Amino acid sequence: MYKEVNIASNNVPITLSIWYTERSSPTIVFLPGTMSHPLMYENFLCGLSERGFNIIGVHYLSHGKSPKLKKNYTMEDMLHNVYDATTYGIEKFGENIAVMGSSQGGILAAMAAGRDTRLKAVFPHNIMLTTLKETMSLTKYPAWSHRFMGLIQWGFRVGGKLLPNYKVPGDAYLDYDRVFYSEQAKQDCLNDPMLLPYYPLRFVASLFNADLSCLENGAIQCPVILITAKGDPLFSLDYTNKVFDLIHVPQKELLTLELNRHMIFNEDTDTTINALEATLHKYLG
């Protein structure tokens, strides 16, 4: 079953998409990717719910169905959204709860796990470390730009302060041909009326300077199950292995799917659900 609710998050209203089964079933808070919203992953999230999970999809502030009340936001604002959605999930369905995120949502999920000891596990589909020079490979910038990564991060910080509302479209820093496997999936996504057409520069600055030290300093106390596709053209397996090796948590697992695309939740839904189901139940019961 499906419903939508509105909650206040850091004094700003946001919308939650909820696919629910039994009240006592484990709960997954789902975090969408760049400029996106949970309904873009509807088939995947509905499928997970049918396998015995309550799903709470977060429409970040000013994203998707959430009211467009704030134009100038950062990753920190989204972290408030994740925490408040988790609180809602615990109140409605109990404490057996985890966070899962896709792409940019996976990065956010890892950051959230570093702050929230209530989580039983975190399932990021891709994460990054801004301290790794190889992280520049996730952008459309040329390979040699990693030599100037520190300068680029500084430039974004300065730009985010001077021109916080400057409009940055997603393809200004992402190569959409690496994000999407098929042209049809690309057009379906880009033609979605709820997809944001741009981010404010202040947000992009916070993304490029995201503090993911929690992956290395022991702040995350729950298991980290890193999901990746063997042939992901955006988050390469080589890069993902480098990040995974640096993760310092009580328990970690790398779940590698034999797929050759980045948008595995959208473009190969059934295969992905089948591959994830046993692992999700392993950590959440």
Side-chain angles (χ1 to χ4, degrees):
M1 292 180 285
Y2 175 80
K3 67 177 181 180
E4 292 174 6
V5 301
N6 294 316
I7 65 170
S9 180
N10 201 26
N11 298 316
V12 178
I14 64 169
T15 299
L16 304 178
S17 285
I18 302 175
W19 292 263
Y20 58 100
T21 176
E22 301 294 331
R23 181 178 176 86
S24 59
S25 297
T27 301
I28 297 172
V29 176
F30 181 79
L31 311 180
T34 300
M35 301 182 182
S36 186
H37 57 87
L39 293 174
M40 190 174 287
Y41 304 80
E42 183 173 6
N43 291 338
F44 173 71
L45 298 177
C46 182
L48 284 183
S49 181
E50 291 172 352
R51 304 294 178 99
F53 300 94
N54 295 309
I55 307 295
I56 300 175
V58 181
H59 297 253
Y60 312 120
L61 78 169
S62 296
H63 285 62
K65 289 195 170 185
S66 292
K68 307 301 188 289
L69 299 179
K70 189 173 183 180
K71 296 180 180 179
N72 192 336
Y73 47 83
T74 67
M75 291 283 280
E76 188 68 28
D77 292 302
M78 291 185 182
L79 284 168
H80 280 290
N81 297 164
V82 181
Y83 188 89
D84 293 331
T86 302
T87 298
Y88 176 88
I90 291 172
E91 291 174 350
K92 295 297 180 181
F93 302 118
E95 296 181 353
N96 192 12
I97 195 165
V99 170
M100 175 189 290
S102 177
S103 197
Q104 180 179 286
I107 296 166
L108 193 66
M111 296 173 71
R115 302 181 178 202
D116 197 340
T117 58
R118 302 173 299 174
L119 300 178
K120 302 303 181 186
V122 61
F123 299 89
H125 168 226
N126 301 133
I127 49 179
M128 71 176 185
L129 280 171
T130 49
T131 54
L132 282 178
K133 66 180 183 180
E134 291 88 352
T135 297
M136 289 303 294
S137 69
L138 307 180
T139 73
K140 67 186 302 182
Y141 304 142
W144 52 261
S145 65
H146 71 78
R147 303 173 187 173
F148 307 99
M149 184 171 175
L151 182 61
I152 292 171
Q153 289 174 310
W154 175 83
F156 273 114
R157 289 197 300 271
V158 172
K161 292 178 180 178
L162 295 178
L163 298 168
N165 295 318
Y166 182 80
K167 298 175 182 179
V168 182
D171 60 0
Y173 60 94
L174 290 175
D175 181 351
Y176 283 166
D177 289 334
R178 293 164 62 199
V179 173
F180 301 100
Y181 180 75
S182 70
E183 183 64 24
Q184 185 62 53
K186 178 180 176 181
Q187 294 306 318
D188 287 347
C189 177
L190 297 182
N191 291 328
D192 185 332
M194 287 196 292
L195 183 77
L196 294 185
Y198 61 84
Y199 271 143
L201 182 55
R202 185 175 182 227
F203 173 80
V204 179
S206 73
L207 174 63
F208 272 75
N209 289 277
D211 180 7
L212 282 134
S213 58
C214 61
L215 290 168
E216 300 180 89
N217 64 17
I220 298 177
Q221 294 300 302
C222 66
V224 174
I225 301 86
L226 177 53
I227 305 164
T228 191
K230 187 175 182 179
D232 189 330
L234 186 61
F235 287 77
S236 71
L237 186 59
D238 180 62
Y239 175 79
T240 299
N241 281 325
K242 282 185 170 67
V243 175
F244 184 76
D245 288 343
L246 293 171
I247 296 175
H248 178 67
V249 293
Q251 187 176 359
K252 64 180 181 179
E253 181 175 343
L254 180 60
L255 185 59
T256 305
L257 280 63
E258 294 291 330
L259 297 173
N260 62 346
R261 60 204 67 190
H262 174 64
M263 300 285 284
I264 59 174
F265 294 166
N266 307 72
E267 296 188 71
D268 212 325
T269 302
D270 291 340
T271 300
T272 302
I273 292 175
N274 290 335
L276 294 182
E277 183 179 5
T279 301
L280 294 173
H281 281 296
K282 172 183 173 181
Y283 288 97
L284 293 174

